[in-house]
């Protein structure tokens, strides 16, 4: 496949290398952003150089994007896929991005949570078959770039707006959580999802994923999540997020109301460590990443 390069921004800003800024490291150790980028996300540069479909993990801070990537990567590797960070995604002088790429495998295999305290937060991950042929790319960006509880009406940063316009086939994975935060936060987040839906292209695919399902044992029946009940909760709590994707086909709408997959997901179980330094991690049952991958691959193959 011919290699295509999309330089998503004009590259005129000075990309500070964190390796040269030891005193400033702490503030962006968890974000992978330079000082400039952290101050103004509109200065962020990203490059998507492979034409393979891009899966965008759209979720608020701490919604579970990193742990989803970790859980999915473990499952994909176990099932013969190759999963690697794309080193060309961030500017080559971003020492922090290089460090993220270098520590990716360690984070994936760790018995401790790579969420929250991790340096893994802003990455493009390439999923390939056993021959190294790309299947898709998964993008994780800091949650506050999609939604901030403090500033719910903040516009999307420029690089996210630009990703909306790249030629790659795209799947937007809208992450929600049952009973998340307060009523107002859920309404605000729903509005942000609807805003994104209004600016993405009609040919883009969507998936809705309900994360941290393990936190809702009441919605489980014989060890399995009650999908219908989860769906009802999400529909009530995040009003309007499904409306755009109602199936309008007069025949198929009789048995399929919506044009998307709704996936119940759990990355696993997390326990605070005794010394308070982090969380141990127990991966979830394989059926969670398996179902998520099935939904992703369906969109990649143009199933909806
Ligand atoms: N119970 C439970 N907790 C989870 C799950 N996934 C993530 N968490 C918790 O949520 C925390 C944040 O998860 P992350 O994966 O870092 O969230 P994120 O969306 O990447 O957050 P940002 O990168 O800050 O936007 C983790 O440290 C876990 O404590 C899950 O499936 N179940
Ligand atoms: Mg993250």
């Amino acid at each position: 496949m011919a290699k295509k390069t999309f330089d998503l921004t004009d590259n005129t800003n000075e990309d500070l290398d964190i390796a040269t800024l030891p005193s400033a490291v702490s503030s962006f150790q968890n974000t992978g952003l330079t000082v400039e980028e952290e101050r103004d996300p509109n200065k962020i540069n990203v490059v998507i150089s492979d034409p393979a479909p891009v899966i965008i993990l759209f979720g608020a801070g701490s919604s579970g994007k990193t742990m989803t990537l970790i859980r999915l990567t473990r499952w994909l590797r176990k099932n013969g896929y190759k999963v690697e960070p794309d080193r060309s995604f961030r500017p080559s002088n971003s020492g922090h991005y290089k460090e993220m790429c270098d520590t990716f495998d360690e984070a994936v295999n760790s018995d401790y949570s790579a969420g929250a305290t991790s340096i893994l937060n802003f990455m493009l991950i390439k999923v390939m078959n056993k021959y190294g042929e790309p299947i898709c790319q998964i993008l994780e960006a800091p949650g506050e770039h999609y939604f901030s509880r403090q500033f719910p009406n903040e516009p999307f940063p420029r690089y996210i707006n630009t990703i909306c316009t790249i030629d790659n086939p795209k799947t937007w994975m809208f992450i929600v959580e049952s009973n998340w935060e307060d009523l107002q936060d859920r309404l605000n987040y729903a509005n942000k999802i609807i805003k994104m839906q209004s600016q993405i292209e009609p040919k883009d695919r969507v998936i809705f994923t309900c994360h941290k399902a393990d936190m809702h044992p009441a919605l489980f029946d014989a060890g399995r999540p009650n999908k219908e009940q989860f769906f009802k909760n999400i529909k009530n709590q995040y009003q309007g997020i499904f409306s755009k994707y109602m199936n309008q086909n007069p025949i198929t709408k009789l048995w399929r109301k919506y044009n998307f997959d709704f996936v119940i997901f759990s990355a696993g179980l997390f326990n605070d460590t005794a010394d308070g330094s982090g969380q141990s991690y127990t991966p979830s049952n394989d059926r969670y990443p398996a179902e998520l991958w099935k939904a992703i691959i369906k969109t990649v193959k143009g199933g909806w």
Side-chain angles (χ1 to χ4, degrees), residues 54-60 63-72 136-141 146 163 170-176 189 193 196-197 200 204-212 241-242 245 260-267 288-289 291-297 299:
V54 180
I55 319 299
I56 301 125
L57 307 187
F58 185 111
S63 58
K65 297 179 295 299
T66 298
M67 290 315 301
T68 300
L69 262 186
I70 300 259
R71 184 66 191 95
L72 192 60
C136 66
Q137 311 171 84
I138 307 178
L139 171 70
E140 188 203 355
Y146 297 109
I163 285 168
K170 292 180 283 298
T171 299
W172 296 83
M173 184 172 134
F174 292 112
I175 297 175
V176 287
Y189 180 52
I193 290 180
M196 189 85 260
Q197 291 172 348
I200 66 181
D204 289 359
R205 319 277 172 182
V206 302
I207 302 172
F208 289 89
T209 53
C210 182
H211 284 230
K212 306 189 187 180
I241 61 171
F242 300 141
Y245 302 97
F260 57 77
D261 271 322
F262 179 75
V263 178
I264 310 286
F265 189 78
S266 168
Y288 290 105
E291 197 194 335
L292 180 60
W293 181 244
K294 198 171 148 198
I296 289 174
I297 211 68
T299 64

Side-chain angles (χ1 to χ4, degrees), residues 3-8 45-56 86 88-90 124 137 139 159 162-163 166 168 170:
K3 194 165 163 131
K4 208 159 34 164
T5 302
F6 300 97
D7 199 338
L8 296 181
N45 290 324
V46 296
V47 176
I48 297 183
S49 54
D50 193 294
V54 180
I55 319 299
I56 301 125
D86 184 332
S88 64
F89 177 60
R90 302 276 291 125
L124 187 69
Q137 311 171 84
L139 171 70
Y159 81 93
T162 314
I163 285 168
I166 61 172
N168 300 51
K170 292 180 283 298

Side-chain angles (χ1 to χ4, degrees), residues 147-168:
F147 178 71
S148 153
R149 287 176 67 205
Q150 289 74 31
F151 307 104
N153 300 317
E154 189 100 316
F156 296 113
R158 193 169 61 127
Y159 81 93
I160 291 181
N161 291 332
T162 314
I163 285 168
C164 292
T165 68
I166 61 172
D167 284 346
N168 300 51

Side-chain angles (χ1 to χ4, degrees), residues 30 59-68 113-118 120-122 140-144 175 211-215 265-270 272 279 284:
N30 294 336
S62 286
S63 58
K65 297 179 295 299
T66 298
M67 290 315 301
T68 300
S113 168
T117 54
S118 164
L120 231 180
N121 265 319
F122 196 10
E140 188 203 355
E144 64 266 30
I175 297 175
H211 284 230
K212 306 189 187 180
D214 55 278
M215 291 175 75
F265 189 78
S266 168
L269 300 175
F270 298 80
D272 292 340
Q279 289 178 311
S284 58

